[in-house]
């Protein structure tokens, strides 16, 4: 066989291989060029009328409210910013106290260094190094897609029929949560105890949050909020306020905070993705972050913090079935890692405080004043709840019910704990 024939065969083989999706994916793993990075940064970071340098290293840009990233979304080109709903003020005093020694706060680290002027919103600036940590420029700001298997392994304490519905358990996530379903929900909230759990692996992250979902299966839609420790996204181990939305199980639609067009911010005091200053300590002082998400009559979902601070909303134009209502609410924690379930060694990334729910107040992460809102328009404790845990030997959950006292929901765990969670 001549050299020209061999060369032709090699070219043909390369052509055939290059048509395979796995080959093309490997070929695309080269780092993005400087031009691509600069273009992405220009798209993400809008011109600032004022810049604030936070003591923790974050840069906060005060951006004209009508030039924020949301308005890059094709469906929001002619969107008019909505007025804050009246029901926020009406419901401020609806949540009852249960006597826990905790303190609700609103302070973020960047606020110590300045404030944004009227007509602007504070947005955390995205840096080049933030983009370089991402799997790709296209996936920056997005959770990894949920990888599902058909399973009924979730550990269910109080709601045996839920397993029949919740057959799709993501392989790359482990959750411990309180769930309610069976009605149409137009709001949910809770006081979420704040901690800084350990994150073990470079791609791992951990959250304590609320989910409102429009469906429950391999393709779900949700709006989410709470706190997270996510070094891959934010570049450090700080506990940060976050919001998220997805229409396709984190596949390609939706993102954290304002890292893609979608969420509309309306106020200039708090910002998403920035560090929280008040963190709880074991057997010491406990701090809570009050988080609520509520639907309005136009189909928008509003995010409120500290009971009286509406941060902004997910517009109806970017939502699917959620623009009508949610059918499922979850409160709890979640760990993302490729080392979960039957993968060994299991990740050592913690959930909640990093201790199990059984430790209760002062040791375990909790949620108080758990509330739903339905078409009765009142905030109330859910009629039916169930405490769930995907991996009860790694992370668990406990709804602590005592006579005459509203339940406190505890959740969390350390992850890897041989031999129980190897």
């Amino acid at each position: 066989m001549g050299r020209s024939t061999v060369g032709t065969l090699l070219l043909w083989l390369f052509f055939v291989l290059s048509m395979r999706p796995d080959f093309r994916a490997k070929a695309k793993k080269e780092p993005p060029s400087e031009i691509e990075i600069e273009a992405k940064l220009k798209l993400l970071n809008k011109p600032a009328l004022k810049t604030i340098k936070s003591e923790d290293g974050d840069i906060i840009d005060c951006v004209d409210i009508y030039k924020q990233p949301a308005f890059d979304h094709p469906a929001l080109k002619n969107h008019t910013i909505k007025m804050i709903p009246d029901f926020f003020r009406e419901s401020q005093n609806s949540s009852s106290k249960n006597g826990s020694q905790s303190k609700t706060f609103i302070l973020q680290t960047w606020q110590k260094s300045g404030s944004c002027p009227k007509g602007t919103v504070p947005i955390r600036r995205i840096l080049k190094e933030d983009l370089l940590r991402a799997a790709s420029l296209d996936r920056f700001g997005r959770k990894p897609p949920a990888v599902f298997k058909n399973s009924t392994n979730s550990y269910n304490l109080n709601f045996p029929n839920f397993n029949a519905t919740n057959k799709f358990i993501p392989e790359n996530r482990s959750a411990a949560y309180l769930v309610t379903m069976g009605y149409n929900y137009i709001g949910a909230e809770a006081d979420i105890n704040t901690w800084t759990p350990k994150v073990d692996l470079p791609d791992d992250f951990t959250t304590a949050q609320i989910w409102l979902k429009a469906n429950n299966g391999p393709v779900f839609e949700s709006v989410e909020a709470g706190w997270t420790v996510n070094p891959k996204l934010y570049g450090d181990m700080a506990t940060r306020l976050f919001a998220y939305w997805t229409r396709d199980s984190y596949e390609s639609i939706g993102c954290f905070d304002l890292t893609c067009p979608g969420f509309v911010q309306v106020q200039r005091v708090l910002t998403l993705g920035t560090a929280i200053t008040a963190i709880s300590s074991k057997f010491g002082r406990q701090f809570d972050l009050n988080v609520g998400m509520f639907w309005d009559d136009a189909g928008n979902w509003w995010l409120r913090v500290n009971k009286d601070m509406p941060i902004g909303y997910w517009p109806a134009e970017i939502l699917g079935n959620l623009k009508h209502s949610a059918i499922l609410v979850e409160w709890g924690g979640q760990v993302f890692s490729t080392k979960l379930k039957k993968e060994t060694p299991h990740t050592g990334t913690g959930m909640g405080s990093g201790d199990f729910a059984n430790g209760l107040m002062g040791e375990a992460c909790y949620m108080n004043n758990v509330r739903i809102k339905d078409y009765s328009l009142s905030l109330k404790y859910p009629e039916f709840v169930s405490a769930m845990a995907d991996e009860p030997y790694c992370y668990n959950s406990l709804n602590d019910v005592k006579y005459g006292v509203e339940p406190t929901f505890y959740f969390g765990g350390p992850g890897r704990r041989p031999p129980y969670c190897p």
Side-chain angles (χ1 to χ4, degrees):
M1 185 180 295
R3 289 186 178 179
S4 61
T5 304
V6 172
T8 302
L9 287 173
L10 288 172
L11 285 171
W12 178 82
L13 179 61
F14 177 82
F15 175 77
V16 171
L17 286 173
S18 67
M19 293 298 101
R20 290 174 51 182
D22 58 337
F23 185 92
R24 294 200 304 272
K26 290 177 182 177
K28 291 181 179 177
K29 286 186 177 179
E30 294 182 3
S33 68
E34 289 292 330
I35 294 176
E36 291 173 320
I37 291 172
E38 289 303 318
K40 184 73 171 181
L41 289 173
K42 186 175 181 181
L43 182 66
L44 291 168
N45 296 318
K46 303 305 180 183
L49 298 180
K50 179 181 177 181
T51 295
I52 301 169
K53 293 185 178 180
S54 176
E55 65 182 39
D56 61 2
D58 279 349
I59 299 174
I60 306 301
D61 289 327
C62 302
V63 176
D64 184 305
I65 193 170
Y66 272 102
K67 294 182 179 177
Q68 61 181 294
F71 293 97
D72 289 340
H73 197 292
L76 302 177
K77 291 298 183 184
N78 299 313
H79 183 81
T80 301
I81 292 177
K82 308 303 180 186
M83 298 292 291
I84 294 172
D86 290 339
F87 61 72
F88 275 155
R89 290 185 288 273
E90 296 167 1
S91 64
Q92 282 176 18
N93 299 319
S94 296
S95 294
S96 63
K97 303 295 182 183
N98 73 351
S100 66
Q101 299 301 310
S102 62
K103 180 178 178 62
T104 303
F105 63 90
I106 62 170
L107 187 65
Q108 294 181 307
T109 303
W110 73 271
Q111 293 173 318
K112 300 176 184 178
S113 303
S115 60
C116 285
K118 291 183 179 180
T120 69
V121 291
I123 302 176
R124 179 181 178 270
R125 184 184 296 181
I126 306 304
L127 305 177
K128 177 180 177 180
E129 49 264 39
D130 296 327
L131 298 183
L132 291 177
R133 287 191 302 272
S136 69
L137 293 183
D138 288 339
R139 290 217 62 83
F140 174 74
R142 292 193 172 105
K143 292 184 180 183
V147 178
F148 288 95
K149 61 182 178 182
N150 199 338
S151 171
T152 57
N153 291 332
S154 275
Y155 182 66
N156 189 342
L157 289 174
N158 310 311
F159 208 161
N161 293 329
F162 185 74
N163 278 344
T165 306
N166 194 34
K167 293 193 290 186
F168 296 97
I169 308 298
E171 294 179 339
N172 55 359
R173 287 161 169 81
S174 190
Y177 54 97
L178 189 73
V179 61
T180 189
M181 59 185 300
Y183 294 92
N184 293 99
Y185 304 100
I186 56 173
E189 75 170 344
D191 298 338
I192 308 175
N193 191 205
T194 58
W195 293 84
T196 303
K198 170 189 174 183
V199 174
D200 185 26
L201 303 173
D203 291 344
D204 288 6
F205 64 82
T206 180
T207 71
Q209 64 172 94
I210 303 171
W211 294 260
L212 285 130
K213 295 182 176 180
N215 48 339
N216 185 41
V219 181
F220 62 86
E221 179 182 6
S222 67
V223 289
E224 312 170 15
W227 60 255
T228 183
V229 181
N230 189 337
K232 184 165 186 177
L233 177 60
Y234 300 112
D236 59 22
M237 297 291 183
T239 301
R240 294 171 179 266
L241 172 68
F242 86 93
Y244 200 97
W245 68 284
T246 182
R247 284 182 58 181
D248 57 0
S249 308
Y250 314 123
E251 189 66 37
S252 61
I253 304 174
C255 63
F256 279 99
D257 309 332
L258 280 71
T259 57
C260 71
F263 187 86
V264 177
Q265 187 155 331
V266 299
Q267 58 77 46
R268 59 191 176 95
V269 178
L270 295 178
T271 189
L272 298 171
T274 56
I276 294 167
T277 58
I279 303 298
S280 303
S281 59
K282 193 169 183 177
F283 303 123
R285 193 175 183 187
Q286 302 298 297
F287 293 92
D288 297 350
L289 172 68
N290 173 264
V291 174
M293 289 171 283
F294 300 92
W295 178 90
D296 69 17
D297 290 339
N300 309 298
W301 279 92
W302 287 80
L303 171 62
R304 185 185 70 186
V305 174
N306 202 42
K307 299 185 183 296
D308 60 357
M309 184 63 67
I311 292 182
Y313 59 93
W314 292 277
E317 294 94 322
I318 69 171
L319 301 174
N321 291 331
L322 264 180
K323 71 178 64 173
H324 305 295
S325 68
I327 65 165
L328 189 77
V329 186
E330 297 169 349
W331 300 260
Q334 186 179 81
V335 168
F336 167 84
S337 181
T338 57
K339 292 292 186 178
L340 295 169
K341 310 301 165 71
K342 295 182 179 179
E343 293 290 335
T344 55
H346 192 284
T347 182
T349 293
M351 179 194 297
S353 69
D355 285 311
F356 284 109
N358 316 63
L360 302 180
M361 185 66 64
E363 185 172 350
C365 188
Y366 61 80
M367 291 196 190
N368 275 329
N369 296 315
V370 168
R371 293 286 185 273
I372 57 95
K373 184 179 181 182
D374 57 21
Y375 288 118
S376 71
L377 304 184
S378 62
L379 279 170
K380 55 191 175 183
Y381 192 84
E383 185 174 355
F384 303 106
V385 294
S386 177
M388 308 279 290
D390 294 344
E391 297 179 290
Y393 294 107
C394 307
Y395 314 102
N396 69 353
S397 63
L398 171 65
N399 202 31
D400 188 28
V401 181
K402 296 177 181 177
Y403 180 77
V405 180
E406 185 171 294
T408 296
F409 176 63
Y410 295 93
F411 62 96
R416 184 173 61 250
R417 187 179 63 110
Y420 306 103
C421 182

